Amino acid sequence: MLATEEFTRFPLLMWEKVLSKVKKSVVFMDDKCAEALHWSGGAATLLEAGARNLKQFSSFEACGVNEPKAVFVVSTLLKGRTVDIIKDIISLSHFQYCVVFTTVAHSVHLLVNKVTTEMEGSPVFEQFEEKLCEWMGNMNYTAEVMHVPVVFAPVSQQLIVAPPFAHLFPLLSPDLEAINEKRPEKRRFASLNDIDMHCLPAELQIEVKSLASALNSMFEATGTREESFALGPMSRIIAGELANLPQAKNRRKTAPNKASIIFVDRTMDLTGAVGHHGDNLVEKVLTMLKLLPGHVTDVQVDMLELTSLHKTPHSKNILAPGCLAQIQSSARSLWDAMLTSKHKEGVIEVRRQLVEAASKENLPIKMSMGRVTPEQLCSYIQLFRSSRGALESHCGVLQLGLATAQTLRHPSLPRWDSCLAFERLLLQALGDADFPAVLRQLLPLMKPRGVEDTSASGSRLREDELGPDELILLLVYLYSLADETQPADHDTEEEEELEKLERDLIGALTLVISREKELSPLLQKLTGERKLLPLRLFKRVHSAVEKMFKTLRGLSSTRNHLKQLRSIYTASDGIHQATYRPFLRQILEEVFHPDRRECPDIEHMSGGLTDLLKTGFSMFMKVSRPHPGDNPLLLLFMVGGVTPSELRLIKETVATHRPGTQVLVLSTRLLRPTDIPELLFGTQRLVPDIGV
């Protein structure tokens, strides 16, 4: 029987192909591939395989005379900017042997070059090999170009992410308008569900085809014959592309192992992605600590506690940061526990493993029961400073312990609880009042931070005071629930009231952002500004906030096309409070229902002609259609990201409804709450960066 371990091993198998070529070479790698490698053993695997050095894929890098071999690993097409960078590096170096690995399949390169017929060999790659020799200055030198899908990263036993597709996000209502603008009036689409692959911008088509190709490679390596299902417009396009891929059709004829894969658009449930109700330690770690440069998942862990250095403004620049991705088995098991357990359970497990590690090394640990504090964790960690051997043996657990301690004492952590409290209040209010009345409750919160606090002496910033990031999250939370909590027939007066209120909110939020002393990463992406330039910034912020509200208005209608799974909100009945019903839980309850019910919203995508015939026959006779619960392995692919708390929810739901079933989550990324506004309001949504 097919096991999830075969899928989590697949990224390592693909990196083996790269490792076989790196001996005595300098490796140049772009950020997306570097992040995938980071979760598959890291740079150490390259060096152990014989690589001399690892450098950034940049025109400003080069090699010396004594470095004749280069290996390039890129996540983009071999066109445009990517080709320019490779040429620049080669021109400034003295290479005699170049190997180029691209994660984009040769079939996609053919399509980009407008070649629709199948061709023998890899002519695009062969032509590029000739160019490499030309740039090296001797046609007798060696050049190799090949496709290796090193796009997946095994974050845990339950989760595989795809860093090169981290910014792939489901379509939104502004995207529909942008697509319709380029079409004749009579051929415009009425809704997002009408859009097909050929209507997408060329760059987005290439990204979808590349993802489908990478998934096909994974299924081919694991001998999988999948049944594909989809929920949401973008998921339907990706699942359809995978189903119609010629290589996939051939594979499904002979593959021995069966599995179901359900593609789910993140926009089907944004409430769960921006909410703070998950009660998960890793979610807080990812939110509080800064990301590693060039990464979208892992964070920087300050290693100062493991040294004798004194904390100064410059001490962070002296030490390389730690991280969450670990290769030691004890650290991996701790990471899995943190990822799929409740906050309190995760913190207790961190303390238990630190105590166990200290006991193994005979360190003088002082046991203490009761509440786990960051000071307690740090006192355990500091014991390892005196023993280099102990540090090396337990460095993975120590880094996860430091990440936990730094999160628990982070000055922004009280804002997490403040957001949770407001979300609970707003959830109840949505069932008791109309939407404008609930939205108006946010206006008093929209004031510049650092104003004088009458409850405390002097003027200072309260730790639990909401900033612009948290206010934007609350707006997404509210708008994602707006339609299903309100009556369908809005009168003109209510519409006018809502428009006026939104104008007030736009003005208030613009002022809040403009008064910030330092722009957060989210605000930098929202405004396109890194530094505060008051005159230009105010106009830029106002324009960005206006566009943001335009997108917000369409969020509540993302589930309108569904027949059964339309609601993620249960109103108060006077006895029980209003509650949020996670969309993923509803999907799994349908999939694992003992009566094998057919859910009209979970669309089967990979049947081809056979499925069409069954659909026709089902009009006058009972026909058994494929069901996602039929196969021993279920894959959930979250297009747009999955949260750590959702991983715990999936684990608990499977254990309740069908114990023993293997479920593996694939996702474009592991989400923090603030990732959602970046993805929703990003300027490059329909035109992703594919290196051209």
Side-chain angles (χ1 to χ4, degrees), residues 35 44 59 70 90 142 145 149 164 180 205 231 287 294 317 328 430 435 444 467 502 534 538 562 618 658:
E35 182 165 12
S59 293
I90 292 174
T142 308
V145 178
N180 276 337
Q205 285 189 44
L231 277 140
T287 304
N317 298 326
Q328 293 173 332
L430 279 167
F435 183 65
E502 285 180 343
F538 191 86
L562 301 180
S618 67
R658 195 176 292 182

PDB file of all heavy atoms in Angstrom, residues 35 44 59 70 90 142 145 149 164 180 205 231 287 294 317 328 430 435 444 467 502 534 538 562 618 658:
ATOM      1  N   GLU A  35      15.201  27.615  -0.785  1.00  0.00           N
ATOM      2  CA  GLU A  35      14.255  27.322   0.304  1.00  0.00           C
ATOM      3  C   GLU A  35      13.803  25.861   0.258  1.00  0.00           C
ATOM      4  O   GLU A  35      13.642  25.223   1.298  1.00  0.00           O
ATOM      5  CB  GLU A  35      13.044  28.252   0.240  1.00  0.00           C
ATOM      6  CG  GLU A  35      12.081  28.006   1.378  1.00  0.00           C
ATOM      7  CD  GLU A  35      11.066  29.110   1.581  1.00  0.00           C
ATOM      8  OE1 GLU A  35      10.934  29.990   0.716  1.00  0.00           O
ATOM      9  OE2 GLU A  35      10.379  29.079   2.619  1.00  0.00           O
ATOM     10  N   ALA A  44      24.400  21.904   3.711  1.00  0.00           N
ATOM     11  CA  ALA A  44      25.356  20.870   4.142  1.00  0.00           C
ATOM     12  C   ALA A  44      25.349  19.675   3.196  1.00  0.00           C
ATOM     13  O   ALA A  44      26.401  19.061   2.956  1.00  0.00           O
ATOM     14  CB  ALA A  44      25.015  20.411   5.559  1.00  0.00           C
ATOM     15  N   SER A  59      23.809  38.365 -10.863  1.00  0.00           N
ATOM     16  CA  SER A  59      24.794  38.881 -11.827  1.00  0.00           C
ATOM     17  C   SER A  59      26.030  39.439 -11.141  1.00  0.00           C
ATOM     18  O   SER A  59      27.059  39.677 -11.791  1.00  0.00           O
ATOM     19  CB  SER A  59      24.153  39.979 -12.691  1.00  0.00           C
ATOM     20  OG  SER A  59      23.158  39.439 -13.519  1.00  0.00           O
ATOM     21  N   ALA A  70      30.722  24.922 -12.728  1.00  0.00           N
ATOM     22  CA  ALA A  70      29.582  25.606 -12.102  1.00  0.00           C
ATOM     23  C   ALA A  70      28.315  24.779 -12.293  1.00  0.00           C
ATOM     24  O   ALA A  70      28.119  24.148 -13.341  1.00  0.00           O
ATOM     25  CB  ALA A  70      29.392  26.990 -12.710  1.00  0.00           C
ATOM     26  N   ILE A  90      28.881  33.538 -16.108  1.00  0.00           N
ATOM     27  CA  ILE A  90      29.863  32.807 -16.935  1.00  0.00           C
ATOM     28  C   ILE A  90      30.894  33.770 -17.535  1.00  0.00           C
ATOM     29  O   ILE A  90      32.097  33.480 -17.573  1.00  0.00           O
ATOM     30  CB  ILE A  90      29.141  32.015 -18.043  1.00  0.00           C
ATOM     31  CG1 ILE A  90      28.315  30.879 -17.421  1.00  0.00           C
ATOM     32  CG2 ILE A  90      30.142  31.441 -19.047  1.00  0.00           C
ATOM     33  CD1 ILE A  90      27.451  30.116 -18.419  1.00  0.00           C
ATOM     34  N   THR A 142      32.321  21.445 -21.724  1.00  0.00           N
ATOM     35  CA  THR A 142      31.152  20.604 -21.430  1.00  0.00           C
ATOM     36  C   THR A 142      30.002  21.437 -20.863  1.00  0.00           C
ATOM     37  O   THR A 142      30.209  22.243 -19.943  1.00  0.00           O
ATOM     38  CB  THR A 142      31.517  19.495 -20.423  1.00  0.00           C
ATOM     39  OG1 THR A 142      32.662  18.801 -20.905  1.00  0.00           O
ATOM     40  CG2 THR A 142      30.358  18.523 -20.236  1.00  0.00           C
ATOM     41  N   VAL A 145      22.188  20.613 -19.687  1.00  0.00           N
ATOM     42  CA  VAL A 145      20.965  21.295 -19.243  1.00  0.00           C
ATOM     43  C   VAL A 145      19.896  20.229 -19.047  1.00  0.00           C
ATOM     44  O   VAL A 145      19.671  19.397 -19.932  1.00  0.00           O
ATOM     45  CB  VAL A 145      20.484  22.341 -20.276  1.00  0.00           C
ATOM     46  CG1 VAL A 145      19.192  22.998 -19.800  1.00  0.00           C
ATOM     47  CG2 VAL A 145      21.560  23.393 -20.509  1.00  0.00           C
ATOM     48  N   PRO A 149      12.535  18.416 -10.996  1.00  0.00           N
ATOM     49  CA  PRO A 149      11.498  19.128 -10.235  1.00  0.00           C
ATOM     50  C   PRO A 149      11.795  19.232  -8.740  1.00  0.00           C
ATOM     51  O   PRO A 149      11.126  18.620  -7.902  1.00  0.00           O
ATOM     52  CB  PRO A 149      10.244  18.281 -10.491  1.00  0.00           C
ATOM     53  CG  PRO A 149      10.762  16.900 -10.710  1.00  0.00           C
ATOM     54  CD  PRO A 149      12.094  17.056 -11.382  1.00  0.00           C
ATOM     55  N   PRO A 164       8.561  27.398  -4.889  1.00  0.00           N
ATOM     56  CA  PRO A 164       8.482  28.144  -6.150  1.00  0.00           C
ATOM     57  C   PRO A 164       7.069  28.630  -6.491  1.00  0.00           C
ATOM     58  O   PRO A 164       6.909  29.513  -7.326  1.00  0.00           O
ATOM     59  CB  PRO A 164       8.973  27.128  -7.188  1.00  0.00           C
ATOM     60  CG  PRO A 164       9.867  26.207  -6.429  1.00  0.00           C
ATOM     61  CD  PRO A 164       9.196  26.073  -5.091  1.00  0.00           C
ATOM     62  N   ASN A 180     -11.690  40.354 -18.025  1.00  0.00           N
ATOM     63  CA  ASN A 180     -12.801  40.788 -18.889  1.00  0.00           C
ATOM     64  C   ASN A 180     -12.475  42.043 -19.689  1.00  0.00           C
ATOM     65  O   ASN A 180     -13.002  42.249 -20.784  1.00  0.00           O
ATOM     66  CB  ASN A 180     -14.062  41.027 -18.058  1.00  0.00           C
ATOM     67  CG  ASN A 180     -14.838  39.748 -17.808  1.00  0.00           C
ATOM     68  OD1 ASN A 180     -14.712  38.777 -18.560  1.00  0.00           O
ATOM     69  ND2 ASN A 180     -15.649  39.733 -16.760  1.00  0.00           N
ATOM     70  N   GLN A 205      -0.482  31.039 -16.791  1.00  0.00           N
ATOM     71  CA  GLN A 205      -0.632  29.736 -17.446  1.00  0.00           C
ATOM     72  C   GLN A 205       0.637  28.898 -17.281  1.00  0.00           C
ATOM     73  O   GLN A 205       0.574  27.695 -16.998  1.00  0.00           O
ATOM     74  CB  GLN A 205      -0.923  29.928 -18.940  1.00  0.00           C
ATOM     75  CG  GLN A 205      -2.333  30.391 -19.261  1.00  0.00           C
ATOM     76  CD  GLN A 205      -2.598  30.352 -20.752  1.00  0.00           C
ATOM     77  OE1 GLN A 205      -2.241  29.395 -21.428  1.00  0.00           O
ATOM     78  NE2 GLN A 205      -3.234  31.399 -21.276  1.00  0.00           N
ATOM     79  N   LEU A 231     -12.264  22.100  -5.525  1.00  0.00           N
ATOM     80  CA  LEU A 231     -13.201  23.042  -4.919  1.00  0.00           C
ATOM     81  C   LEU A 231     -12.659  24.446  -5.133  1.00  0.00           C
ATOM     82  O   LEU A 231     -11.689  24.852  -4.497  1.00  0.00           O
ATOM     83  CB  LEU A 231     -13.339  22.767  -3.419  1.00  0.00           C
ATOM     84  CG  LEU A 231     -14.309  21.666  -3.017  1.00  0.00           C
ATOM     85  CD1 LEU A 231     -13.737  20.853  -1.878  1.00  0.00           C
ATOM     86  CD2 LEU A 231     -15.637  22.273  -2.587  1.00  0.00           C
ATOM     87  N   THR A 287       4.602  34.010  13.259  1.00  0.00           N
ATOM     88  CA  THR A 287       4.111  35.391  13.236  1.00  0.00           C
ATOM     89  C   THR A 287       5.045  36.343  13.967  1.00  0.00           C
ATOM     90  O   THR A 287       5.281  37.465  13.517  1.00  0.00           O
ATOM     91  CB  THR A 287       2.704  35.466  13.860  1.00  0.00           C
ATOM     92  OG1 THR A 287       1.835  34.566  13.164  1.00  0.00           O
ATOM     93  CG2 THR A 287       2.127  36.875  13.767  1.00  0.00           C
ATOM     94  N   GLY A 294      14.899  35.888   2.035  1.00  0.00           N
ATOM     95  CA  GLY A 294      14.632  35.107   0.837  1.00  0.00           C
ATOM     96  C   GLY A 294      13.672  33.955   1.034  1.00  0.00           C
ATOM     97  O   GLY A 294      13.341  33.248   0.090  1.00  0.00           O
ATOM     98  N   ASN A 317      24.269  40.789  14.381  1.00  0.00           N
ATOM     99  CA  ASN A 317      25.021  40.723  13.126  1.00  0.00           C
ATOM    100  C   ASN A 317      26.254  39.838  13.239  1.00  0.00           C
ATOM    101  O   ASN A 317      26.889  39.505  12.234  1.00  0.00           O
ATOM    102  CB  ASN A 317      25.441  42.134  12.695  1.00  0.00           C
ATOM    103  CG  ASN A 317      24.242  43.026  12.439  1.00  0.00           C
ATOM    104  OD1 ASN A 317      23.223  42.562  11.972  1.00  0.00           O
ATOM    105  ND2 ASN A 317      24.356  44.307  12.781  1.00  0.00           N
ATOM    106  N   GLN A 328      18.020  16.471  12.645  1.00  0.00           N
ATOM    107  CA  GLN A 328      18.146  15.490  13.719  1.00  0.00           C
ATOM    108  C   GLN A 328      16.774  14.883  14.030  1.00  0.00           C
ATOM    109  O   GLN A 328      15.770  15.600  14.079  1.00  0.00           O
ATOM    110  CB  GLN A 328      18.724  16.151  14.976  1.00  0.00           C
ATOM    111  CG  GLN A 328      20.163  16.606  14.803  1.00  0.00           C
ATOM    112  CD  GLN A 328      20.660  17.407  15.994  1.00  0.00           C
ATOM    113  OE1 GLN A 328      19.895  18.051  16.690  1.00  0.00           O
ATOM    114  NE2 GLN A 328      21.966  17.365  16.228  1.00  0.00           N
ATOM    115  N   LEU A 430     -22.028  39.828  14.351  1.00  0.00           N
ATOM    116  CA  LEU A 430     -22.504  39.621  12.979  1.00  0.00           C
ATOM    117  C   LEU A 430     -23.908  39.013  12.932  1.00  0.00           C
ATOM    118  O   LEU A 430     -24.661  39.260  11.997  1.00  0.00           O
ATOM    119  CB  LEU A 430     -21.531  38.714  12.214  1.00  0.00           C
ATOM    120  CG  LEU A 430     -20.284  39.390  11.656  1.00  0.00           C
ATOM    121  CD1 LEU A 430     -19.260  38.356  11.202  1.00  0.00           C
ATOM    122  CD2 LEU A 430     -20.633  40.327  10.501  1.00  0.00           C
ATOM    123  N   PHE A 435     -24.422  44.449   8.781  1.00  0.00           N
ATOM    124  CA  PHE A 435     -22.983  44.498   8.542  1.00  0.00           C
ATOM    125  C   PHE A 435     -22.386  45.891   8.782  1.00  0.00           C
ATOM    126  O   PHE A 435     -21.330  46.008   9.429  1.00  0.00           O
ATOM    127  CB  PHE A 435     -22.670  44.010   7.129  1.00  0.00           C
ATOM    128  CG  PHE A 435     -21.197  43.951   6.829  1.00  0.00           C
ATOM    129  CD1 PHE A 435     -20.363  43.070   7.516  1.00  0.00           C
ATOM    130  CD2 PHE A 435     -20.626  44.769   5.873  1.00  0.00           C
ATOM    131  CE1 PHE A 435     -19.004  42.999   7.256  1.00  0.00           C
ATOM    132  CE2 PHE A 435     -19.272  44.714   5.598  1.00  0.00           C
ATOM    133  CZ  PHE A 435     -18.461  43.827   6.291  1.00  0.00           C
ATOM    134  N   PRO A 444     -13.392  53.070  16.011  1.00  0.00           N
ATOM    135  CA  PRO A 444     -12.670  53.568  17.192  1.00  0.00           C
ATOM    136  C   PRO A 444     -11.274  52.963  17.356  1.00  0.00           C
ATOM    137  O   PRO A 444     -10.412  53.549  18.013  1.00  0.00           O
ATOM    138  CB  PRO A 444     -13.571  53.143  18.367  1.00  0.00           C
ATOM    139  CG  PRO A 444     -14.915  52.922  17.770  1.00  0.00           C
ATOM    140  CD  PRO A 444     -14.671  52.440  16.384  1.00  0.00           C
ATOM    141  N   GLY A 467      -2.126  47.392  15.774  1.00  0.00           N
ATOM    142  CA  GLY A 467      -1.498  48.214  14.750  1.00  0.00           C
ATOM    143  C   GLY A 467      -2.212  48.031  13.419  1.00  0.00           C
ATOM    144  O   GLY A 467      -3.207  47.297  13.324  1.00  0.00           O
ATOM    145  N   GLU A 502     -17.289  52.906   4.513  1.00  0.00           N
ATOM    146  CA  GLU A 502     -16.031  52.461   3.924  1.00  0.00           C
ATOM    147  C   GLU A 502     -15.115  53.641   3.605  1.00  0.00           C
ATOM    148  O   GLU A 502     -13.894  53.546   3.785  1.00  0.00           O
ATOM    149  CB  GLU A 502     -16.297  51.638   2.659  1.00  0.00           C
ATOM    150  CG  GLU A 502     -16.808  50.238   2.962  1.00  0.00           C
ATOM    151  CD  GLU A 502     -17.073  49.405   1.720  1.00  0.00           C
ATOM    152  OE1 GLU A 502     -17.169  49.997   0.620  1.00  0.00           O
ATOM    153  OE2 GLU A 502     -17.198  48.174   1.833  1.00  0.00           O
ATOM    154  N   PRO A 534       6.853  61.119   3.825  1.00  0.00           N
ATOM    155  CA  PRO A 534       5.497  61.569   4.155  1.00  0.00           C
ATOM    156  C   PRO A 534       4.618  62.010   2.994  1.00  0.00           C
ATOM    157  O   PRO A 534       3.507  61.528   2.844  1.00  0.00           O
ATOM    158  CB  PRO A 534       5.756  62.724   5.129  1.00  0.00           C
ATOM    159  CG  PRO A 534       7.056  62.372   5.769  1.00  0.00           C
ATOM    160  CD  PRO A 534       7.857  61.685   4.718  1.00  0.00           C
ATOM    161  N   PHE A 538       1.634  59.279   1.762  1.00  0.00           N
ATOM    162  CA  PHE A 538       0.206  59.449   2.048  1.00  0.00           C
ATOM    163  C   PHE A 538      -0.634  59.143   0.808  1.00  0.00           C
ATOM    164  O   PHE A 538      -1.639  58.434   0.883  1.00  0.00           O
ATOM    165  CB  PHE A 538      -0.073  60.883   2.539  1.00  0.00           C
ATOM    166  CG  PHE A 538      -1.453  61.042   3.099  1.00  0.00           C
ATOM    167  CD1 PHE A 538      -1.717  60.749   4.427  1.00  0.00           C
ATOM    168  CD2 PHE A 538      -2.510  61.452   2.294  1.00  0.00           C
ATOM    169  CE1 PHE A 538      -2.991  60.875   4.949  1.00  0.00           C
ATOM    170  CE2 PHE A 538      -3.795  61.581   2.798  1.00  0.00           C
ATOM    171  CZ  PHE A 538      -4.029  61.298   4.135  1.00  0.00           C
ATOM    172  N   LEU A 562     -21.248  27.446  -4.552  1.00  0.00           N
ATOM    173  CA  LEU A 562     -21.378  26.129  -3.931  1.00  0.00           C
ATOM    174  C   LEU A 562     -22.833  25.845  -3.549  1.00  0.00           C
ATOM    175  O   LEU A 562     -23.607  26.762  -3.278  1.00  0.00           O
ATOM    176  CB  LEU A 562     -20.489  26.036  -2.683  1.00  0.00           C
ATOM    177  CG  LEU A 562     -18.987  26.260  -2.905  1.00  0.00           C
ATOM    178  CD1 LEU A 562     -18.234  26.148  -1.591  1.00  0.00           C
ATOM    179  CD2 LEU A 562     -18.431  25.269  -3.917  1.00  0.00           C
ATOM    180  N   SER A 618     -25.963   8.301 -15.874  1.00  0.00           N
ATOM    181  CA  SER A 618     -26.556   8.558 -14.563  1.00  0.00           C
ATOM    182  C   SER A 618     -27.891   9.287 -14.664  1.00  0.00           C
ATOM    183  O   SER A 618     -28.632   9.364 -13.691  1.00  0.00           O
ATOM    184  CB  SER A 618     -25.586   9.384 -13.706  1.00  0.00           C
ATOM    185  OG  SER A 618     -25.421  10.679 -14.244  1.00  0.00           O
ATOM    186  N   ARG A 658     -12.286   8.666  10.578  1.00  0.00           N
ATOM    187  CA  ARG A 658     -11.772   7.450   9.949  1.00  0.00           C
ATOM    188  C   ARG A 658     -10.347   7.190  10.427  1.00  0.00           C
ATOM    189  O   ARG A 658      -9.377   7.457   9.702  1.00  0.00           O
ATOM    190  CB  ARG A 658     -11.833   7.535   8.434  1.00  0.00           C
ATOM    191  CG  ARG A 658     -11.643   6.143   7.790  1.00  0.00           C
ATOM    192  CD  ARG A 658     -11.796   6.158   6.302  1.00  0.00           C
ATOM    193  NE  ARG A 658     -13.139   6.435   5.866  1.00  0.00           N
ATOM    194  CZ  ARG A 658     -13.509   6.461   4.572  1.00  0.00           C
ATOM    195  NH1 ARG A 658     -12.616   6.196   3.641  1.00  0.00           N
ATOM    196  NH2 ARG A 658     -14.754   6.737   4.237  1.00  0.00           N
TER     197      ARG A 658
END
